[in-house]
Amino acid sequence: MSVPAPTEESARTLLARPGFTKLLAYRIFAMLSYQIVAVTVGWHIYEVTRNPFSLGLVGLAEVLPFFCVAPFAGYLVDHLPRRRLGMAACAGLVATALVLCAVAFGWLPFHGVWPIYAAIALTGMVRAFLSPIYNALFARVLERHQFARGAGLGSVFFQAGMVVGPALGGVLVGWGGKGVAYGVATGFAVVAMGCLASLRVTEPVHTGPAAPIFRSIAEGARFVVGNRIMVGAMALDMFSVLLGGVVAMLPAFLQEILHYGPEGLGILRAAPALGSIAVGLWLARHPLQQHAGRVLLFAVAGFGVCVISFGLSHHFWLSALILLFYGAFDGVSVVVRSTILQLATPEEMRGRVSSINGIFISSSNELGAFYAGTMAKWLGLVPAVVLGGFAVLSVAGITAWKNPTLRRLNLRDLQ
C-alpha cells in the first residue's frame, strides 16, 4: 500500500509551531544583540582613537577568532546537546556586551582599547556557534517536506535582524549613549538564551565513542567537497559575494558618483536587505521545488547584472532600486542554498557542514570588502565594480557548464 505524500503547510501554519517560532526568536534576538554591539563598537573605537585604521582592526579582531573556532564549533554541535550549547553561546554574547558596557561606563580598573578588542574577539568565537546551532535545531523542529518553506521564513527573520539591528544600534547610541546600547544588546542576548531554554526538542542520540576531533572535522570537509550540489551552491554564493560585493563601496559611491549626503547611506544599506526580505516572504508562500538549480543560477546571473547596473548608475534613487533587486537575487540564492544544506546533510553532520558553510560565507563577506577596495584603488571605483559584475556572470556560466548536477537540481529529489 502506498503512503500518501505529506501535505505542505502554509507559512502561517509553520509559525504556529512553538518549536519553530522559538527557534526563529532565538535567531533574531541573537542577531539583534550582535548587530547592536557591532554598530556601537565602531562608534566607540573611533571615539576613543580618532583613527580610521582602528575600525579595520575591529573586523580583524572578530574574523580571525571566528575562522579558528568555526571547524571545532561544528564538531561540538554534532557531539554535544545542541540546545545547551546554544544557550552557552548566548551567554557568550551576554558576557561580551557586559564587558563593553563596563568599559563604556568606566567601571573597569584599566583603560585603553584592548578590552574592547578582547570583547570583539570573544564575539567572533561565539558567532562561530550561532548558525550551526540554528541549522542543526532547524532540522529537529520541522519535517523534511517543510524545509523549503521554513528556509524562506528563516531568511526573512535573518534579514529583518540585519535591517533593524544596525538602525536600532544607531538610535540607542544617539539617544542614550554607548552604555545604554550595550545594555540593550545584553537584554536581547538574554532573551535569545531564554528562547532556547524553553525550546522542547529531541536531541539525536550518540552511541559509541566519538571520533577523534580532527578526523571528524576532515570527514565533514570531505562530505561537502564530495557533494557536487552542495559544494556548487556554496561556491556560487562565495564567489558571487566575493567578486560582486558593492556594500563596502557605498560611502565612496555616495560621495564620488551619486553626490548624495550621508543620510543616503542608510537607505542604500537597507535596500538589499529589504529586497531579500521580500523574496524570502514570497518563497515562504511559494517554496521552490522544481528547477531549483536553474533558478539558483539565474539568480546569481541576475545578481551580477545588478552589480554592473549599480556601477554604471549616476542617480541615487535608481541605484537604490538596483540594490533592492540585488538583495532580492541574493535572497533567492540564500534560500535555495539553505534548503540544499538542510536536505542534503545527514543528521550526524549538521554542525560540521553548517560550520563549513559559515566559513564560505564569512570569507566571502570579509575578503569581498578587501577585494573591492583593492580593485577600486587599482582600476578606479566604477571599472572595479563593473568588472566584478562581469566576473559574477562568468562564475554563473562556468558553474552551469561544469556542474550539470546542480543545473538540473529539483529539490523534491532530495526529500
Side-chain angles (χ1 to χ4, degrees), residues 187-198:
F188 282 148
V190 171
V191 173
M193 189 190 309
C195 292
L196 288 183
S198 63

Side-chain angles (χ1 to χ4, degrees), residues 12 106 150 159:
R12 183 177 300 177
Q159 292 297 336

Side-chain angles (χ1 to χ4, degrees), residues 89-280:
C90 291
L93 292 178
V94 171
T96 298
L98 285 177
V99 169
L100 291 169
C101 190
V103 173
F105 283 119
W107 293 339
L108 297 181
F110 33 79
H111 303 283
V113 297
W114 74 262
I116 304 176
Y117 286 121
I120 292 303
L122 177 60
T123 300
M125 290 186 280
V126 169
R127 191 166 66 89
F129 289 89
L130 298 179
S131 288
I133 288 165
Y134 170 81
N135 288 322
L137 291 175
F138 180 97
R140 308 299 296 183
V141 299
L142 294 179
E143 304 295 333
R144 289 182 66 85
H145 68 277
Q146 300 169 328
F147 284 178
R149 200 182 297 272
L153 288 171
S155 176
V156 169
F157 276 72
F158 179 81
Q159 292 297 336
M162 294 288 287
V163 174
V164 175
L168 183 56
V171 169
L172 289 170
V173 171
W175 172 70
K178 303 181 296 295
V180 170
Y182 291 137
V184 172
T186 303
F188 282 148
V190 171
V191 173
M193 189 190 309
C195 292
L196 288 183
S198 63
L199 179 64
R200 296 293 175 260
V201 63
T202 58
E203 297 275 8
V205 178
H206 299 288
T207 57
I213 184 168
F214 289 104
R215 184 191 304 173
S216 181
I217 293 171
E219 181 186 13
R222 284 194 300 270
F223 173 80
V224 172
V225 173
N227 189 309
R228 290 182 62 81
I229 293 175
M230 187 177 294
V231 75
M234 287 184 183
L236 264 178
D237 183 88
M238 182 183 74
F239 284 110
S240 61
V241 175
L242 175 64
L243 300 172
V246 299
V247 173
M249 296 294 102
L250 290 182
F253 265 91
L254 276 170
Q255 296 184 40
E256 299 182 20
I257 307 298
L258 303 176
H259 305 295
Y260 209 86
E263 66 275 9
L265 182 59
I267 297 172
L268 295 186
R269 286 292 298 265
L274 292 175
S276 185
I277 289 173
V279 82

